[in-house]
């Protein structure tokens, strides 16, 4: 809204105001805005413009409010001195020139967008400047009165501005003759309010945004400031004050992490000095004294706090769920039994009495910890026996055990590839593969998900290099299966090693549960098969199979194998036992497959598209908040299902991920499918 009046033929702007509100609150908010304009202290307006736009809630991003501190300054000169130090502390070399410019910016409606290094003004219209719009405080339900609250508005504007791309800081002085305050704000420093930056009664004021980057990127900054919808969360409540007055002066103490209350006047001046010297030392001379270091540490922690708040605001914050019983098809959480539809223990072997018995016996014999790494004292008969059994199971020459599947991928990829090599990696590969690729230092070429034509194009392009192609065999978030025949053929044709990660395939694919190679009739065999003992096998640890030379190389080069205490014997005995059961009781794998078919069919009968050849069934939702909400309601109704969100999957492709077990009954699965379908329809 904008209210104006003609005064001596000049257009005088009286009041401007904008809000992002719920549709249900529209009439009430509009009324109070009009009332406010009509009773402005500078008189009644000639006209009021009201513009109402529809905003889709998915277009809004939320940022936590910048923390506010106040530095008391005795005079305008002292205020500018602090401003100068603040700018320098942000690595701005031409701080003095910037402040000279700032003194000259007067009564422009918008802000100057200044390249902090070249001092070029980047706003396309120098008269108008850059205006920050489309923002509000996030009151989430609590209907605050639309009274003019300068404090809130200042924090909202400064927070949005600080989050703009390429923005390194903002300097502002109010043009209201009643105020003498100003502030400096940036993500690193927060909102630092200076109590005196001009003479009383002066209507000089202005705003400079400090930009760092290529001037071409300024468009991005301006687009964000003018068009991105932003809600600012967690603004400390400060009603009754009509500007940022008297805000948390005390805060400085906690900022500097020191105690010793002093008298008020001492405190004021010393704190001002602390911040200034800390700020100056911070980046210019390198932090050496205590206060500079603690300010720097505070900055880092402050970044974490804000980032965590942002995750919470955007439904991306993670919490843990604590189980009170074994990982079976029914698990107790908080004293309540839930149907487990989220475990990787597909064959329900983790609490099998035979497995537990085997582990206990090994534990009695070997004790709890293994006492050393594999190459020192941490190899037992059981380690060797399990490696032999795994190699036989996978029909490969040799096998090596790692402490987890994660470490197996990390260490193996980094041991096989180096800076000179290229790695072709499916865009949906598991994080442990991605991290392994990064650790190796190799050239990483990501190909489109399971797209063998894209893989071939990229192999052809890099055929002069040595390297590896690596893929999940059952993709962990979508449950689909790698095109193994084509992948192996391409790797052989172009001379790259091939590696698959069988984490979700072992015990699941193939008639005997041997995995992806069996699924494709045993005809296409990659050079390296990686697997984990923590999923179908119900234990812990990862393994890698290949020919003798490859595995021997890993024993000598894989750092996760060499520099970590080996797994305890009890786990190895348990996994050996589970591996035997898997082979003796192929009906578990068969039952798991029937369960997947039944469950997908039940979902489809309810109108939910669902399909899977593994034990993982994704149900696409899209919006993160909605996925979390459906999972929460399912939990209340007795089903544990994971809501998978960014960064595990792409933004706005949140999904429910249902993981089935061989021990689920038909009734359990039909009921669960029914409950999921109903919640998807109603949310
Ligand atoms: C779970 C998983 C891993 C890691 O195995 P852990 O034994 O849990 O560390 C590796 N790759 C994929 C595809 C996985 O799903």
């Amino acid at each position: 809204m904008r209210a104006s009046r003609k005064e001596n033929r000049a257009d005088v702007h009286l009041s401007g105001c904008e809000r992002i509100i719920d549709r249900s609150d529209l009439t009430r908010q509009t009324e109070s805005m009009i009332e406010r304009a009509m009773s402005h202290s500078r008189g009644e307006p000639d006209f009021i413009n009201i513009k109402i736009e529809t905003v889709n809630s998915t277009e809004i991003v939320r940022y936590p409010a910048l923390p506010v501190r106040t530095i008391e300054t005795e005079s305008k000169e002292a205020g500018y001195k602090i401003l100068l130090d603040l700018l320098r502390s942000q690595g701005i070399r031409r701080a003095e020139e910037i402040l000279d410019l700032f003194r000259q910016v007067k009564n422009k409606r918008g802000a100057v967008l200044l390249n902090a290094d070249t001092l070029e003004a980047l706003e396309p219209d120098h008269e108008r400047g850059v205006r920050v719009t489309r923002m509000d405080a996030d009151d989430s339900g609590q209907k605050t009165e639309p009274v003019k609250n300068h404090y809130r508005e200042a924090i909202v504007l400064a927070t949005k501005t600080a989050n703009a791309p390429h923005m390194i800081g903002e300097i502002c002085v109010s043009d209201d003759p009643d105020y003498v305050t100003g502030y400096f704000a940036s993500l690193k420093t927060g909102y630092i309010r200076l109590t005196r930056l001009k003479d009383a009664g002066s209507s000089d004021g202005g705003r400079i945004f400090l930009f760092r980057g290529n001037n071409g990127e300024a468009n991005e900054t301006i687009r964000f400031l003018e068009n991105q919808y932003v809600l600012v969360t967690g603004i400390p409540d400060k009603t009754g004050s009509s500007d940022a007055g008297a805000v948390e002066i005390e805060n400085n103490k906690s900022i500097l992490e020191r105690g010793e209350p002093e008298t008020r006047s001492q405190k004021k001046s010393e704190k001002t000095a602390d911040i200034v010297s800390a700020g100056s030392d911070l980046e210019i001379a390198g932090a050496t004294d205590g206060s500079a270091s603690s300010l720097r540490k505070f900055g880092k922690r402050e970044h974490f706090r804000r980032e965590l708040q942002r995750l919470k605001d955007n439904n991306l914050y993670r919490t843990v769920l604590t189980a009170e019983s074994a990982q079976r098809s029914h698990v107790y959480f908080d004293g309540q039994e839930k149907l487990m539809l989220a475990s990787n223990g597909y064959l329900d072997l983790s609490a099998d009495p035979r497995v537990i018995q085997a582990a206990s016996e090994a534990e009695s014999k070997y004790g709890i910890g293994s006492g050393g790494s594999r190459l020192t004292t941490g190899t037992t008969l059981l380690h060797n026996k399990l490696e032999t059994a795994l190699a036989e199971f996978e029909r490969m020459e040799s096998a090596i055990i790692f402490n987890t599947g994660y470490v197996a991928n990390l260490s193996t990829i980094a041991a096989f590839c180096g800076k000179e090599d290229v790695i072709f990696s499916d865009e949906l590969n598991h994080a442990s593969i991605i991290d392994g690729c990064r650790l190796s230092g190799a050239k990483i070429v990501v190909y489109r998900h399971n797209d063998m034509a894209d893989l071939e194009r990229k192999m052809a392009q890099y055929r002069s290099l040595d390297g590896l192609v690596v893929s999940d065999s059952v993709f962990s978030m979508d449950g689909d299966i790698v095109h193994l025949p084509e992948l192996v053929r391409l790797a052989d044709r172009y001379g790259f090693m091939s590696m698959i990660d069988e984490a979700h395939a072992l015990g699941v694919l193939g008639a005997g549960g041997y995995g992806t190679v069996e699924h494709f009739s045993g005809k296409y065999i990659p050079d390296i098969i990686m697997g984990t003992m923590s999923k179908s096998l119900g234990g812990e640890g990862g393994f890698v199979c290949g020919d003798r030379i490859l595995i021997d190389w890993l024993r000598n080069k894989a750092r996760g194998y060499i520099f970590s205490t080996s797994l305890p014997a009890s786990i190895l005995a348990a996994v050996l036992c589970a591996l035997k059961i898997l082979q003796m009781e192929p009906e578990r794998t068969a039952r798991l497959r029937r369960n997947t078919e039944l469950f997908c069919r039940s979902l489809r009968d309810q109108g939910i598209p669902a399909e899977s050849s593994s034990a993982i069934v994704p149900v696409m939702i899209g919006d993160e908040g909605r996925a979390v909400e459906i999972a929460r309601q399912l939990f209340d109704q007795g089903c544990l299902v994971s809501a998978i969100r960014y960064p595990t999957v792409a933004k706005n492709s949140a999904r429910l991920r249902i993981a089935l077990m061989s021990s689920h009954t038909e009734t359990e699965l039909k009921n669960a499918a029914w409950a999921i379908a109903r919640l998807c329809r109603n949310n």
Side-chain angles (χ1 to χ4, degrees), residues 344-347 349-350 430 476 503-504 506 532-541:
N344 297 320
Y346 304 121
L347 301 181
L349 284 171
S350 144
H430 189 262
S476 52
H504 299 281
L506 198 165
T532 167
M533 310 186 260
S534 63
K535 290 174 178 161
S536 283
L537 293 172
E540 174 78 53

Side-chain angles (χ1 to χ4, degrees), residues 339 341 599 603 634 639 667-677:
L339 179 68
L341 289 167
F599 181 72
L603 279 173
L634 277 170
C639 291
T667 316
E668 285 167 354
L669 294 179
K670 282 185 170 162
N671 287 344
W674 190 81
I676 290 168

Side-chain angles (χ1 to χ4, degrees), residues 11-26:
D11 198 0
V12 177
H13 165 70
L14 289 180
S15 185
C17 176
E18 66 169 75
R19 308 241 26 206
I20 300 176
I21 53 172
D22 192 79
R23 183 183 291 262
S24 63
D25 211 18
L26 191 57

Side-chain angles (χ1 to χ4, degrees), residues 558-614:
R559 296 172 67 83
Y561 176 85
I562 302 170
F563 295 107
S564 188
T565 299
S566 68
L567 285 173
S570 55
I571 281 290
L572 306 172
V575 172
L576 266 166
C577 179
L579 203 58
K580 258 191 219 128
I581 296 176
L582 186 148
Q583 290 168 282
M584 275 168 3
E585 301 175 2
E587 60 271 21
R588 285 173 183 268
T589 300
R591 180 87 188 273
L592 178 63
R593 184 153 315 129
R594 277 203 306 280
N595 278 351
T596 307
E597 282 161 14
L598 171 86
F599 181 72
C600 289
R601 202 175 332 112
S602 305
L603 279 173
R604 286 198 302 269
D605 288 347
Q606 308 277 334
I608 304 289
E611 211 177 343
S612 176
S613 309
S614 63

